[in-house]
Structures are given as C-alpha cells and as structure tokens.
Amino acid sequence: MLLKLKSPDHRLGLDHKGGEMKKQSPDEKKQVLDSSSLDDDETTTSTCTSTAGGGQLGSWKHAAFHVATTIATPAAYAPLPFAISSLGWPLGVISLVGATFTTFYSSFLIASLWKWDGNKHTTYRHLARSIYGNWGYWSIAFFQQVASLGNNIAIQIAAGSSLKAVYKYYQKDGSLTLQHFILFFGIFELVLSQLPNIHSLRWLNAVCTLSTIGFAGTTIGVTIYNGKNIDRGSISYSLQGSSSSKMFKAFNGLGVIAFSFGDAMLPEIQSTVREPVKKTMYKGISAAYAIILSSYWQLAFLGYWAFGTGVQPFILASLTTPEWTIIMANIFAVIQISGCFQIYCRPTYAFFEEKMTSSKQTNRFPLENHVLRLVFTSMYMGLITVVAAAMPFFGDFVSICGAIGFTPLDFVFPVLAHLKAGKTPKNSSPIVILNIVIATWFSAVAVMGCIGAVKFIKDDINTYKFFHDM
C-alpha cells in the first residue's frame, strides 16, 4: 500500500516554487488541517482492510460468492418455514416477499454510496461516520457486533446440530453430545480465523455457494417427499394458543425473517472488488439474489405445506426419511455455515486490528502480529462457543439477532443514509416516501422481534438447564 506523504512545509503553507513562502489566511489553514485529519482517517480506514477486505482484486463472481455466503446460509433460510408458521400463511407470505425486495433494494443503495463523498470507505463503520459522524460510526459498530455475535452463536448451534445428526446416523448409541460438536466446530473456525481477510476466503466461499445450492435442492426435495408421505389430515395450519401467545409468536417470526436476510458486510465485501466497483457490485448482488430467490421462497412455502404449524425452527429436525438424504443435507449445511461464520466474524477482527494499528506500537514483528491475532480470535471463539453450548436455543438467537442486529443494518440504515447523503434525485418524492416508510416499518419490526425473542429465551431458560443436549 502506497501512502502519499505530505511534507511539513506543505502543512505550514510553504511554497517551494522559486523559494517563496506564501502566507495563508486562518480559513486556509483550517482547510489544510481538516484535509490532514481526513487523510489520517482514510489511512486508518485502509489499514483495517487487511482483515475486512484485502484489496480490490475480486470480480462480480467473487462478490456474488461473498454475498450469497453471507445471506443464503442454511442457518438463515432453514428457519423460514417456522417463521411462516408463526405468522400464519397470509402475513407470512407478505412478510417474506416484502423482506426479499426490501433488502435487494437496500443492498443497491449501500453499493451506490461507494465513494459518495470522493473517499473510499471500506467498512460499514467508516461509511456511517462519513455520513453521520462519530455517533454513526459507534452505532454501526454496536449493531455489527450484535449481528456478528448473534449470527455466529446461531451458526454454532446449527453446525453442532448437523454434525450431531451425522454422528448419530453412524453411531446411534454414541455418547457424544451437542456440546461436543459445538466445540469441534469452534476449533475448526478458530483455524480458519487465522486467514488474513475476506478475499482470502474467496475459494472457500465458492464451495460454500455450491453447498448452498446443494443444501437447498436436497432439503426441498426431501421436504416434498416427507410431505407426500405424511398423513395430510394430521397437519394443522391454524395458529394455536391464546391471543398473547399468537402475538409473541408473530413477533418472533418477524425477527426470524429479518435474520434470514442479514448482510451486515456489504461495504467490506465491496472493498474487495475491482473497478468499476459500483457496476461490479450491482452485478454480484443480482447474481446472489438469484440464488436467494431460488432457495428461500421454495423452502419456506414447501416446508410450511409439508409440516404446517408443527415445523421445527431448524427444518432438518422435522425431516425423517430417507435418512441418507437428510445426512447429505446436514453435510451441505456444515460446509456452507463454515464460510458464513468467517464472513460475520470479520467486523470484530477488523475492529481489533484497527485499534492495534492505530496504537503507537507500529514496529511490531510479523510473528507478534500473528500471536496477537491468535489471542483475540481465541477470545472471540471462546465466547461464542461457550454461549452456544450453554444455551443452544437456535430459534431464539436467530430472532433476537435479526431484530437487534440485522434490521437496523439491512433495512433501516441504508434508506436513511441514502437520504442523508443527498443521493436521491430531485423531484423524486415517491422514493423519499418509500424510504421513510421502510425505515419506520422496520424500526417497528426490530422492536417487535426483540420482544418476541426475549420472551421465548426466558421460556426456554425456565424449561431447560444450561448445557442441555438438545
């Protein structure tokens, strides 16, 4: 990375042409200092791309791999039939279709803000700071950490459940529990966490994208097979329970749908693609959403048709036969989830690395940097693994993560940032109204989803003991 260095004379306003010194006015001095501060901020921004991005080398295909891996993970769309059953058919369909097109639209809005002020903002946090100032930076940092932690806790639980299912298929009387497999997966992710940046994950994410298609195809096929072999008279589609119970289930379902479209990493992904950046990113997003549409809607609607309101939060738990295909779906799920986990832990790693590079200790040896990285990645993985093992309530974490983490990042902030940055064309009041409606409605969804998730987490804690083998 080449940095343009400014001499002390430049900052003091010295003109070396002909040896003359030009005296600056107070306003000109302030402008120079502000420019210097901006340069320092951009230098800090660029240093953190070693973890978050990795340089602009990727094609639209790489962008599609990253976006598809981030959004279309089995942990995201396997709960969708459960979300439909929690909301009921009409409201569930409207919510799912609305969330699909809203996040597709908001993803384009975020991509359009690349260099909106003439500077590259290679992380979501720095993009927010450029528009809203420091409070925008820290708000996005908070929501990203919630999304990262919540998503990866849910992924740990899902991966552990899938690994346990494969194990039980071959060792029906085996003594290993869900917690063992959560630990095994955590160790594997700690090893992958030593890879330096998102671009270094491109081939893993290509495999993960293929696994997404494999998981979707296998699970949809097995769901249809199970649905046809179940006594259809035993399947109920009516919402059960009291009015308050139905309300909390609906709130929880909204949180699950918000989680399913979570992508808190678009600026970080965009910083890895080559010129023309916007056009490349638009193409990558479109390709990724083609995969999302082909998997999300089919699995959500067919899963609800097959099992009705009795569908499990992780649909693989509802499937019974044929066993070998269910095992294959679980294997696809673990492969895909391993890449998604890495995408979502990168904001946390980038935050740590950013603080390291901004410290005064700039003369560390490479080995020391690797040791520090091993330390903070181990701390992160230890926290995720312990929480996932202690409270393996997959559906609850999915909902609260969607409500508090992904809804602000993927539904609310993009439309407000687009308005604040002044990127809306003149005489476009319908777009302004649409953006305000999206921000208002999904802010309400965040509150409702959080209420529903907290209620069900409380119920599960009262029902199960910590480290329960689900």
Side-chain angles (χ1 to χ4, degrees):
M1 180 180 64
L2 297 178
L3 297 177
K4 184 173 73 173
L5 300 178
K6 295 184 178 180
S7 68
D9 290 347
H10 171 86
R11 299 215 176 175
L12 293 173
L14 299 181
D15 187 354
H16 291 282
K17 292 181 180 180
E20 296 180 359
M21 180 173 69
K22 180 181 176 182
K23 188 175 181 180
Q24 292 179 310
S25 68
D27 289 341
E28 289 174 323
K29 289 180 181 179
K30 182 178 185 299
Q31 185 175 2
V32 169
L33 291 173
D34 288 345
S35 175
S36 170
S37 175
L38 181 59
D39 289 337
D40 293 340
D41 180 65
E42 291 304 313
T43 300
T44 301
T45 304
S46 64
T47 59
C48 71
T49 61
S50 62
T51 288
Q56 293 179 249
L57 304 171
S59 66
W60 68 267
K61 295 178 183 177
H62 295 140
F65 292 155
H66 293 320
V67 174
T69 299
T70 307
I71 300 177
T73 169
Y77 60 89
L80 283 175
F82 174 74
I84 299 292
S85 72
S86 299
L87 290 160
W89 178 251
L91 184 57
V93 172
I94 292 170
S95 299
L96 179 58
V97 173
T100 304
F101 288 111
T102 300
T103 52
F104 181 69
Y105 169 66
S106 65
S107 296
F108 267 70
L109 293 185
I110 288 293
S112 72
L113 292 174
W114 177 259
K115 285 189 176 181
W116 75 273
D117 58 352
N119 298 304
K120 287 196 299 184
H121 306 289
T122 55
T123 71
Y124 215 144
R125 301 186 308 280
H126 289 89
L127 175 62
R129 180 192 290 176
S130 72
I131 298 172
Y132 286 105
N134 282 333
W135 79 266
Y137 175 94
W138 289 110
S139 296
I140 292 300
F142 169 76
F143 290 128
Q144 273 196 321
Q145 295 312 313
V146 171
S148 171
L149 290 170
N151 179 79
N152 284 348
I153 289 170
I155 282 178
Q156 282 271 61
I157 298 168
S161 299
S162 290
L163 289 171
K164 181 185 174 183
V166 175
Y167 169 72
K168 287 295 185 181
Y169 177 73
Y170 292 102
Q171 298 288 334
K172 295 188 182 299
D173 298 324
S175 60
L176 295 181
T177 66
L178 174 61
Q179 282 66 31
H180 288 102
F181 294 102
I182 289 175
L183 177 60
F184 298 155
F185 185 78
I187 294 171
F188 176 67
E189 289 298 331
L190 177 60
V191 174
L192 289 181
S193 295
Q194 307 316 305
L195 293 174
N197 50 54
I198 289 176
H199 191 64
S200 66
L201 300 168
R202 61 193 181 280
W203 299 116
L204 171 63
N205 287 343
V207 174
C208 291
T209 301
L210 295 176
S211 296
T212 296
I213 298 170
F215 175 85
T218 304
T219 307
I220 289 169
V222 179
T223 297
I224 294 172
Y225 179 85
N226 277 250
K228 287 185 174 181
N229 286 278
I230 292 175
D231 178 12
R232 303 308 304 165
S234 65
I235 303 300
S236 172
Y237 298 99
S238 60
L239 295 172
Q240 305 295 323
S242 63
S243 298
S244 62
S245 174
K246 292 177 183 177
M247 180 185 70
F248 284 120
K249 286 181 181 178
F251 287 176
N252 197 54
L254 291 172
V256 170
I257 289 176
F259 174 88
S260 297
F261 291 93
D263 182 10
M265 294 288 295
L266 273 177
E268 285 85 347
I269 293 171
Q270 192 166 9
S271 70
T272 70
V273 301
R274 64 175 70 115
E275 296 287 350
V277 175
K278 289 185 182 180
K279 185 176 180 181
T280 303
M281 196 63 185
Y282 293 153
K283 196 172 180 180
I285 291 170
S286 300
Y289 266 81
I291 297 172
I292 291 168
L293 279 176
S294 65
S295 56
Y296 272 44
W297 290 8
Q298 289 188 68
L299 185 59
F301 300 147
L302 288 171
Y304 179 69
W305 162 78
F307 304 107
T309 54
V311 67
Q312 295 297 312
F314 195 58
I315 193 172
L316 293 183
S318 295
L319 305 177
T320 55
T321 55
E323 286 191 40
W324 69 270
T325 57
I326 299 171
I327 295 306
M328 187 164 59
N330 277 292
I331 292 172
F332 280 134
V334 173
I335 294 172
Q336 203 287 335
I337 282 171
S338 65
C340 180
F341 189 103
Q342 282 302 307
I343 294 288
Y344 274 105
C345 65
R346 295 294 158 163
T348 305
Y349 297 167
F351 184 79
F352 275 109
E353 187 167 292
E354 181 182 332
K355 296 307 176 184
M356 288 166 52
T357 55
S358 63
S359 68
K360 295 181 180 180
Q361 299 180 22
T362 57
N363 57 343
R364 292 193 181 98
F365 294 105
L367 179 60
E368 187 178 353
N369 287 330
H370 288 307
V371 171
L372 286 171
R373 182 181 184 83
L374 179 61
V375 169
F376 67 70
T377 55
S378 298
M379 291 170 59
Y380 177 87
M381 288 304 311
L383 174 64
I384 296 292
T385 302
V386 169
V387 175
M391 296 186 293
F393 315 133
F394 175 76
D396 302 341
F397 277 109
V398 161
S399 182
I400 199 166
C401 175
I404 302 178
F406 290 122
T407 303
L409 291 170
D410 299 314
F411 295 92
V412 179
F413 176 79
V415 294
L416 295 181
H418 200 258
L419 293 174
K420 178 71 172 177
K423 289 298 181 180
T424 304
K426 293 181 180 179
N427 302 320
S428 58
S429 56
I431 296 178
V432 174
I433 293 171
L434 173 64
N435 287 359
I436 292 173
V437 168
I438 289 173
T440 303
W441 167 244
F442 283 100
S443 295
V445 167
V447 175
M448 291 185 288
C450 184
I451 292 172
V454 170
K455 198 266 183 189
F456 283 105
I457 288 176
K458 181 181 176 182
D459 289 347
D460 284 336
I461 289 175
N462 291 333
T463 303
Y464 302 104
K465 295 180 180 179
F466 284 112
F467 298 97
H468 182 75
D469 184 19
M470 301 290 285

